[in-house]
């Protein structure tokens, strides 16, 4: 028989064992819960972080923005700011040096934005080369501008690529203040509109949002919609600007420049629609239309008895397309055009990419002439230039605008012309506007001139009259339209 004492002792032992077992179970459950919470947190961080820069992604940024807005009142002017950041010049780097180099640059941008982000600020990557910065309370115009200046300085520091090359970037910033610049759900869209206003103004700057920018954003959407129809409905037109021989003044060829005859907006210049075409992936279709139309016009001029060489700008998107050369061959064959009458120009910034070299060699194999455009505005790599089957170099007007007043400008242009001639290249000075520029460039043995001093871009019919000297009015006397004063080339 078990005594009361023994039973009580057993009960106490049993209770102690149960208590210890329960405590151990609770500890195991707590450890397991902590592990699960930690795993959940890490998974959430991964889901809400950009894998390349490790910055928050758009979803997390919008969550934090919503949290910041939840405690605000519409009467609290300037309680927070959103800054939209878009890199200037990233695309040529990505196209010229490859995606690995582009990823390296984006990673460095992420590190810099993280380093300058304060305690009440949040930086995020929202896609491509676009970033956002949230600036917490108080975020008046003065503080938002100070943050923008910090971002501009940080982004402008040179970037080291994996191949050892250093490149430079800038950025365009759009700033909105809450609630001054709209309700919470429109802050990011309005910051985006302000950023594009800064980019259109030349980039490397910031702009505060204004209601008129909504109209600009709406206009861009309308233009991209209309442009798709314009390519199919023959609303586009090529204008032609002559190139002349430096000594004789005789025409040596023309450059094709695209214009858009919009059914309701009238004549639209490239500086208005080329950025839209690039932003909405229409630049390839537009470029192929230009090639086709240039070949058609060359044949029309030949049938009139005029043998005219036409230069066409190629975009980097076209140079990356495997069907570029077959398309060009088909256009040449369709209109029975001598390949030598077609010159293709690409900007210096993309001329050194490996895919560009291959495309140039393929185009040279077709028999077309090749030209490097805007030389002197990027790397000025004469060693790499030796590998390209180019026959012509076009120096940008920014190099000789003040050539009559600057000994440095004169020395630089002189050296470039001599080096190009040593490589067997003809040199075209693009953008010649004054007699003083012409005379100095002539003294430096520049081969050809192009610019308003000789002729403005003109229609094919007017070019025929000008070239055959049948027009009553020389194109140099033409008065440009409002749009023409800002003429831009297809790039």
């Amino acid at each position: 028989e078990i005594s009361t004492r023994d039973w009580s002792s057993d009960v106490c032992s049993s209770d102690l064992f149960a208590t210890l077992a329960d405590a151990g179970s609770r500890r195991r459950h707590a450890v397991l819960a902590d592990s699960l919470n930690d795993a959940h947190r890490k998974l959430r961080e991964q889901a809400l972080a950009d894998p390349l820069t490790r910055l928050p992604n758009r979803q997390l940024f919008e969550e934090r923005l919503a949290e910041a807005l939840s405690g605000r009142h519409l009467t609290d002017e300037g309680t927070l700011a959103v800054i939209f950041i878009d890199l200037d010049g990233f695309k040529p780097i990505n196209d010229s040096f490859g995606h690995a180099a582009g990823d390296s640059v984006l990673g460095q941008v992420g590190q810099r934005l993280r380093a300058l982000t304060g305690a009440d600020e949040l930086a995020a990557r929202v896609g491509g080369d676009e970033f956002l910065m949230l600036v917490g309370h108080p975020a008046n115009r003065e503080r938002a501008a100070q943050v923008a200046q910090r971002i501009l300085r940080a982004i402008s520091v040179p970037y080291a690529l994996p191949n050892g090359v250093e490149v430079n970037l800038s950025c365009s910033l759009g700033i909105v203040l809450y609630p001054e610049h709209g309700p919470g759900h429109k802050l990011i869209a309005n910051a985006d509109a302000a950023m594009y206003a800064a980019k259109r103004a030349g980039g490397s700057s910031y702009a505060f949002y204004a209601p008129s920018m909504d109209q600009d954003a709406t206009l861009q959407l309308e233009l991209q919609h209309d442009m798709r129809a314009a390519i199919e409905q023959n609303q586009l037109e090529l204008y032609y600007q002559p190139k002349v021989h430096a000594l004789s003044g005789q025409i040596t060829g023309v450059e094709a420049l695209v214009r858009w005859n919009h059914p309701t907006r009238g004549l639209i210049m490239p500086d208005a629609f080329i950025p839209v075409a690039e932003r909405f992936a229409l630049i390839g279709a537009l470029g192929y239309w230009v090639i086709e139309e240039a070949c058609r016009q060359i044949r029309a001029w030949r049938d009139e008895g005029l043998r005219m060489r036409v230069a066409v700008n190629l975009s980097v998107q076209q140079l990356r397309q495997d069907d570029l050369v077959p398309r060009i061959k088909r256009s040449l064959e369709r209109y029975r055009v001598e390949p030598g009458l077609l010159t293709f120009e690409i900007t210096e910034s993309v001329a050194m990419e490996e895919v560009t070299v291959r495309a140039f060699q393929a185009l040279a194999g077709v028999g077309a002439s090749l030209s490097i455009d805007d030389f002197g505005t990027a790397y000025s790599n004469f060693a790499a230039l030796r590998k390209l089957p180019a026959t012509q170099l076009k120096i940008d007007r920014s190099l000789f605008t003040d050539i009559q007043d600057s000994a440095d400008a004169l020395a630089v242009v002189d050296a470039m012309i001599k080096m190009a001639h040593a490589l067997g290249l003809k040199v075209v000075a693009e953008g010649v506007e004054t007699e003083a520029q012409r005379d100095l460039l002539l003294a430096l043995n520049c081969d050809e001139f192009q610019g308003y001093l000789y002729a403005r871009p003109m229609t094919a019919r007017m070019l025929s009259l000008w070239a055959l000297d049948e027009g009553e009015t020389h194109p140099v006397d033409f008065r440009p339209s409002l749009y023409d004063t800002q003429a831009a080339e297809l790039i």
Side-chain angles (χ1 to χ4, degrees):
E1 182 178 349
I2 300 176
S3 67
T4 302
R5 181 180 177 180
D6 291 337
W7 180 83
S8 299
S9 176
D10 289 343
V11 169
C12 290
S13 298
S14 177
D15 289 345
L16 178 62
F17 178 78
T19 300
L20 291 174
D22 186 53
S25 177
R26 285 198 301 270
R27 283 196 299 271
R28 287 195 298 273
H29 280 298
V31 170
L32 179 59
D34 288 343
S35 298
L36 289 174
N37 288 335
D38 187 54
H40 178 73
R41 179 182 56 80
K42 289 180 179 179
L43 286 172
R44 178 172 169 78
E45 287 178 354
Q46 292 176 1
L48 298 179
D50 172 60
L52 181 61
T53 64
R54 304 311 303 166
L55 290 174
N57 62 14
R58 187 184 187 107
Q59 181 182 346
L60 180 55
F61 184 90
E62 290 179 345
E63 287 183 8
R64 295 292 173 82
L65 176 60
E67 291 173 4
L69 291 170
S70 63
R72 311 299 185 190
H73 300 286
L74 291 177
T75 56
D76 294 337
E77 291 295 332
T79 54
L80 58 82
V82 173
I83 302 177
F84 202 112
I85 307 163
D86 185 87
L87 302 181
D88 303 325
F90 174 74
K91 192 172 184 303
I93 291 174
N94 205 38
D95 292 334
S96 299
F97 297 101
H99 293 291
D103 289 348
S104 172
V105 168
L106 291 174
Q108 294 176 63
V109 170
Q111 292 173 2
R112 296 179 190 186
L113 291 178
R114 188 182 300 108
L116 61 81
T117 300
D120 61 342
E121 297 166 355
L122 177 71
R125 181 185 178 216
V126 293
D129 59 347
E130 296 179 335
F131 299 81
L132 286 170
M133 177 78 79
L134 174 62
V135 182
H137 180 80
N140 53 26
R141 280 180 175 261
E142 182 179 0
R143 185 186 174 198
Q146 290 173 349
V147 174
Q149 292 286 2
R150 291 192 346 239
I151 295 171
L152 288 170
R153 286 193 295 269
I155 298 300
S156 67
V157 177
Y159 297 80
L161 301 184
N163 62 3
V165 174
E166 271 198 355
V167 296
N168 294 289
L169 283 177
S170 61
C171 61
S172 298
L173 311 179
I175 306 174
V176 294
L177 302 174
Y178 175 83
E180 179 182 348
H181 294 145
H185 70 277
K186 291 201 67 178
L187 290 179
I188 294 177
N190 289 348
D192 179 54
M195 180 276 294
Y196 271 100
K199 191 172 288 289
R200 287 194 297 273
S204 191
S205 63
Y206 62 86
F208 283 91
Y209 172 77
S212 61
M213 294 173 183
D214 275 338
Q215 299 175 357
D216 293 338
T218 301
L219 174 61
Q220 285 208 345
L221 290 173
E222 291 175 351
L223 286 179
Q224 69 91 10
H225 176 269
D226 293 348
M227 190 179 298
R228 298 179 190 276
I231 297 172
E232 300 173 357
Q233 297 175 9
N234 202 31
Q235 295 175 11
L236 302 175
E237 182 180 9
L238 290 185
Y239 276 48
Y240 302 89
Q241 186 173 31
K243 303 175 188 178
V244 301
H245 188 262
L247 291 173
S248 67
Q250 292 182 336
I251 187 170
T252 59
V254 294
E255 180 174 6
L257 306 168
V258 67
R259 304 288 187 263
W260 182 3
N261 296 305
H262 194 281
T264 59
R265 302 181 189 275
L267 184 66
I268 304 179
M269 299 299 288
D271 60 341
F273 67 82
I274 292 297
V276 176
E278 291 175 332
R279 184 181 183 188
F280 294 100
L282 293 172
I283 195 68
L286 181 59
Y288 287 131
W289 179 90
V290 171
I291 292 172
E292 183 79 3
E293 176 61 16
C295 288
R296 187 201 65 77
Q297 186 57 56
I298 291 172
R299 168 46 50 192
W301 277 326
R302 289 293 283 135
D303 292 343
E304 294 176 5
L306 182 62
R307 190 174 186 272
M308 185 66 67
R309 180 178 287 109
V310 176
V312 171
N313 287 266
L314 287 180
S315 67
V316 67
Q317 291 93 332
Q318 288 173 279
L319 290 166
R320 285 182 171 275
Q321 296 299 315
D322 293 335
D323 64 344
L324 172 65
V325 174
R327 276 176 176 261
I328 291 172
K329 284 182 177 180
R330 287 197 296 271
S331 294
L332 291 170
E333 293 169 358
R334 182 178 299 113
Y335 295 105
R336 297 173 290 114
V337 169
E338 304 168 47
L341 292 180
L342 202 56
T343 298
F344 291 105
E345 298 182 358
I346 65 167
T347 56
E348 179 194 357
S349 61
V350 299
M352 310 309 170
E353 186 185 0
E354 183 179 350
V355 67
T356 300
V357 174
R358 292 198 301 270
F360 256 38
Q361 291 170 342
L363 290 170
V366 174
S369 300
L370 305 170
S371 175
I372 306 299
D373 198 11
D374 295 337
F375 196 79
T377 60
Y379 309 108
S380 300
N381 191 334
F382 280 99
L385 195 62
R386 293 171 51 210
K387 303 176 183 179
L388 297 173
T391 58
Q392 186 184 91
L393 199 68
K394 297 182 75 174
I395 56 177
D396 187 73
R397 68 180 301 272
S398 62
L399 297 175
F400 58 81
T401 299
D402 60 345
I403 193 172
Q404 64 269 31
D405 303 315
S406 171
D408 289 343
L410 185 67
V412 168
V413 175
D414 183 33
M416 291 180 68
I417 292 175
K418 287 178 178 176
M419 189 72 74
H421 285 166
L423 294 175
L425 301 171
K426 290 184 177 180
V427 179
V428 180
E430 184 177 27
V432 180
E433 296 183 351
T434 69
E435 293 181 355
Q437 292 171 354
R438 176 200 62 194
D439 293 343
L440 284 171
L441 289 166
L442 189 60
L444 296 177
N445 296 316
C446 187
D447 300 291
E448 297 178 17
F449 298 141
Q450 179 182 349
Y452 282 7
L453 180 64
Y454 295 91
R456 298 182 183 276
M458 64 192 85
T459 64
R461 177 58 181 162
M462 192 60 69
L463 192 281
S464 298
L465 298 175
W466 190 84
L468 298 173
D469 199 26
E470 293 177 2
E472 296 181 1
T473 305
H474 194 283
V476 77
D477 295 325
F478 286 171
R479 296 294 179 263
S481 69
L482 175 63
Y483 286 112
D484 241 332
T485 59
Q486 300 178 359
E489 297 179 5
L490 172 63
I491 59 175

